[in-house]
Amino acid sequence: MRLISLLVCSLLVSSTLPALAADEKVDLALVNKIRDEGTNRSKIMETLSVLTDEIGPRLTGSPSLKKAGDWSKAQLSEWGLQNAQVVSIAPFGRSWVLEKAAMRMVAPSNLELVAIPKAWTPGTDGVKRGKVVYVKLENDEDLAKWKGKLKGTIILRDAMTPTKLHTTADAKRYTDQELHDLEHMELGGAPARPPTDMAELAKRMAFAKKINPYLTEEGVIATVNVSRGDDGTIFVAGGGSYKQGEPIGPSALVMSTEQYNRVFRLIEKKKDVEVEVEVAVNFGDEDPANSINVFAEIPGSDKKDEIVMLGGHLDSWHAGTGATDNAAGVAVAMEAVRLLKAINFKPRRTIRIALWGGEEQGLLGSRDFINKNVAARPESTDPKEKDLPSFMRRPTGPLMLKPLHGKISAYYNLDNGGGKIRGIYAENNAAAKAIFDTWLAPFHDLGAKTATLRKTGSTDHVSFDAVGVPGFQFIQEPMDYFTRTHHSNMDLFDKIQKGDMMQAAMVMANFVAHTANRDELIPRKPMPPEPARPAAR
């Protein structure tokens, strides 16, 4: 009997969803205009070229991010958007710009080494030469073991990483079966990842904070980590600290895997290895103008007080030019609003584009916007979490709603590389999924056809979803995002496919326009639960 009831419920649900979709209006005349403008008069690669080739890497807190923000504001205004503004998310921290990095092995033989410094680590104050040693620093016992033995050295922080033969292509597109599997959810399986042990994480981070002062005190010239990539690809992010007053240690670099392995093997053979290194950086003080968000609007009409938002993050890491992460998403969002202005679209709700800063440091830009305008909770004061970044601390207290909470219909984000849109993550919002299925229909021929109830993370839509405002990330082709370009020196304009970007901009413009002109806001999920109160003592 129980099985029969479950089957009946399942049939009722499946029969209801098409009805919901059938009731949703699709403006095919609007779709035709978007497709015509986006196909025949696209400007998306020009936008991408300015952000990557001309402006280059856009590290949060750097003058380049300010330059990108000023240019984006001006360009959006030129296209006819209103209320364009650059808004500081300070306090953030220190500015950092890489000016020069060179490293070469000088003994037992000569070899030019490919290595890139980590952000927010210092320069070497000229060319320095030192013996290379492999040093494990994983606990207090290791610190005691090496004390007094590292002056004037260049230390390898990792064991050798054997490379594997490439038998498949770096880049791939989703197969129909993969999209089918993505669309269908299975309940009751093992969680994707075990819950974080916050106490253990805090313990590890507290030990990590000992490393930089220790290395400086010991007189280490530089540290070197091995890249997780191969074939000359170097994946590198931050080190040191962007917080004023925190220790930054010596220069810290990441080296290409194959060269790192060669140096490591020589050390294993007890060969004396010497390396020359020179790193020059511009390490500045906090400048509120360098840590920013950018906003601009297409004003609405009868529902102008309600808002539809779209965007991506403007900041990037420094090894490449931040093309797939995330100039691509920014260019798509900018192109989407350009398309709507070019076809003279008249939205009922106000459309607001948001280009976020600080995403790479923990969604700082979108969190700043949410906390100031949408909703906020007090941050945890648990002493076990005091050493964790603020974005990793558990929320406490009630959610305090602010004026925009009930006014934002939805936020649409793009931040998973340079691939075309294949659909959208509906974030377990069944009513939204039914609507999205309908809106995707005119783009099935371009490969966008999958709306899944699955959730995804690590992009700025999370800041909205966390406070009960519909926030969505599009499903993008994986391409070579995680295998080659994500946070690497290969994150360059050449890794972007023009046709994919044109398609993505049209799909995003379609979603934004239809959201703007619906009679109702996008349906909302139940509000996030209030955090559990600590037990009385």
Side-chain angles (χ1 to χ4, degrees):
M1 189 66 180
R2 178 178 171 82
L3 177 59
I4 293 173
S5 298
L6 288 172
L7 288 172
V8 170
C9 289
S10 177
L11 289 171
L12 287 173
V13 171
S14 63
S15 63
T16 301
L17 290 181
L20 282 172
D23 291 340
E24 189 66 28
K25 297 177 182 178
V26 179
D27 187 342
L28 293 178
L30 169 64
V31 172
N32 278 343
K33 292 178 181 179
I34 289 173
R35 290 185 61 138
D36 174 64
E37 178 68 23
T39 301
N40 297 313
R41 290 170 291 280
S42 174
K43 296 186 181 298
I44 194 163
M45 299 308 282
E46 290 92 327
T47 298
L48 189 73
S49 179
V50 173
L51 290 171
T52 58
D53 290 340
E54 295 184 32
I55 297 175
R58 304 166 302 280
L59 192 69
T60 303
S62 72
S64 291
L65 183 61
K66 179 183 184 300
K67 184 177 180 180
D70 291 342
W71 177 83
S72 301
K73 173 189 172 183
Q75 184 62 79
L76 291 166
S77 297
E78 183 179 318
W79 287 338
L81 277 78
Q82 298 182 23
N83 302 322
Q85 55 184 313
V86 177
V87 179
S88 174
I89 62 172
F92 167 71
R94 292 175 284 193
S95 170
W96 187 89
V97 178
L98 175 61
E99 297 180 344
K100 178 181 181 181
M103 179 176 276
R104 68 188 186 101
M105 183 170 68
V106 294
S109 59
N110 293 321
L111 174 66
E112 294 296 323
L113 300 169
V114 180
I116 299 175
K118 298 178 183 181
W120 294 292
T121 62
T124 57
D125 192 21
V127 179
K128 294 291 189 295
R129 179 170 177 164
K131 181 179 179 180
V132 180
V133 295
Y134 168 52
V135 177
K136 289 176 62 175
L137 298 175
E138 298 177 347
N139 50 49
D140 289 334
E141 289 74 18
D142 289 338
L143 299 185
K145 172 185 174 181
W146 287 99
K147 188 170 180 60
K149 302 176 182 178
L150 297 176
K151 184 175 179 60
T153 62
I154 294 167
I155 67 173
L156 304 185
R157 295 292 309 275
D158 301 313
M160 187 174 67
T161 303
T163 58
K164 296 180 180 180
L165 178 67
H166 286 227
T167 57
T168 58
D170 286 340
K172 62 163 293 187
R173 295 188 183 274
Y174 281 119
T175 65
D176 289 341
Q177 184 62 50
E178 287 171 329
L179 290 171
H180 176 273
D181 293 343
L182 185 62
E183 187 174 8
H184 291 79
M185 298 179 65
E186 291 187 9
L187 301 179
R193 63 179 68 179
T196 302
D197 185 334
M198 302 304 286
E200 178 60 28
L201 181 59
K203 180 180 177 181
R204 293 201 305 268
M205 294 189 71
F207 175 76
K209 286 189 173 183
K210 297 180 181 180
I211 299 297
N212 283 335
Y214 174 86
L215 296 173
T216 300
E217 184 180 339
E218 293 299 304
V220 171
I221 293 173
T223 68
V224 185
N225 288 96
V226 64
S227 173
R228 68 171 176 84
D230 54 15
D231 295 341
T233 300
I234 299 177
F235 295 86
V236 56
S241 176
Y242 56 79
K243 295 297 184 183
Q244 197 77 38
E246 290 189 356
I248 55 177
S251 295
L253 302 94
V254 178
M255 187 184 293
S256 65
T257 304
E258 294 84 356
Q259 291 188 330
Y260 187 99
N261 287 348
R262 178 182 175 185
V263 173
F264 193 95
R265 287 191 295 268
L266 289 170
I267 293 173
E268 278 193 316
K269 292 180 179 181
K270 310 299 182 185
K271 302 293 184 181
D272 288 334
V273 179
E274 292 189 8
V275 162
E276 284 185 352
V277 58
E278 181 181 14
V279 176
V281 303
N282 187 334
F283 220 137
D285 294 328
E286 169 98 13
D287 184 344
N290 292 347
S291 50
I292 47 93
N293 293 328
V294 181
F295 302 99
E297 295 178 341
I298 303 175
S301 55
D302 62 310
K303 293 181 178 289
K304 63 183 179 181
D305 291 337
E306 297 176 353
I307 303 171
V308 183
M309 296 186 67
L310 70 159
H313 71 88
L314 192 58
D315 65 300
S316 78
W317 289 109
H318 58 290
T321 57
T324 65
D325 188 25
N326 184 36
V330 168
V332 166
M334 291 180 67
E335 177 72 359
V337 293
R338 189 200 69 79
L339 294 177
L340 296 179
K341 286 298 297 181
I343 65 174
N344 200 30
F345 175 66
K346 302 297 184 183
R348 299 177 66 189
R349 293 179 178 85
T350 296
I351 295 170
R352 179 181 294 174
I353 185 173
L355 310 179
W356 310 111
E359 189 274 349
E360 297 294 0
Q361 289 72 48
L363 312 181
L364 299 184
S366 56
R367 282 167 49 85
D368 181 79
F369 171 79
I370 291 292
N371 289 337
K372 290 177 179 175
N373 302 284
V374 183
R377 295 185 195 270
E379 291 186 348
S380 172
T381 56
D382 187 336
K384 295 179 181 178
E385 299 182 3
K386 67 181 179 64
D387 291 324
L388 298 178
S390 61
F391 71 91
M392 296 181 67
R393 297 174 191 166
R394 290 171 296 185
T396 59
L399 186 63
M400 298 172 289
L401 303 186
K402 300 189 177 183
L404 286 187
H405 188 275
K407 298 293 187 180
I408 299 175
S409 183
Y411 169 71
Y412 298 104
N413 194 76
L414 198 70
D415 179 22
N416 283 151
K420 70 169 65 172
I421 288 175
R422 301 302 305 274
I424 192 168
Y425 294 96
E427 296 290 322
N428 207 31
N429 186 333
K433 179 189 183 304
I435 295 167
F436 296 161
D437 281 328
T438 305
W439 291 350
L440 285 169
F443 292 89
H444 283 189
D445 64 314
L446 296 180
K449 58 178 66 175
T450 301
T452 176
L453 286 173
R454 293 177 187 265
K455 298 170 68 71
T456 188
S458 301
T459 83
D460 286 294
H461 79 282
V462 172
S463 299
F464 291 79
D465 186 68
V467 298
V469 174
F472 307 100
Q473 162 71 21
F474 289 99
I475 301 168
Q476 285 181 268
E477 295 279 28
M479 307 301 284
D480 54 357
Y481 187 53
F482 289 112
T483 56
R484 191 60 60 185
T485 68
H486 183 245
H487 298 181
S488 85
N489 59 331
M490 292 294 111
D491 191 2
L492 305 168
F493 179 92
D494 305 83
K495 291 293 185 178
I496 301 292
Q497 303 300 312
K498 179 180 179 180
D500 285 17
M501 293 290 92
M502 293 167 63
Q503 181 261 22
M506 290 187 284
V507 174
M508 183 176 262
N510 174 63
F511 268 66
V512 169
H514 278 88
T515 304
N517 280 7
R518 294 186 83 243
D519 289 336
E520 305 295 334
L521 298 172
I522 293 294
R524 298 192 173 195
K525 299 183 296 186
M527 286 291 289
E530 294 297 329
R533 295 186 178 185
R537 296 186 179 182

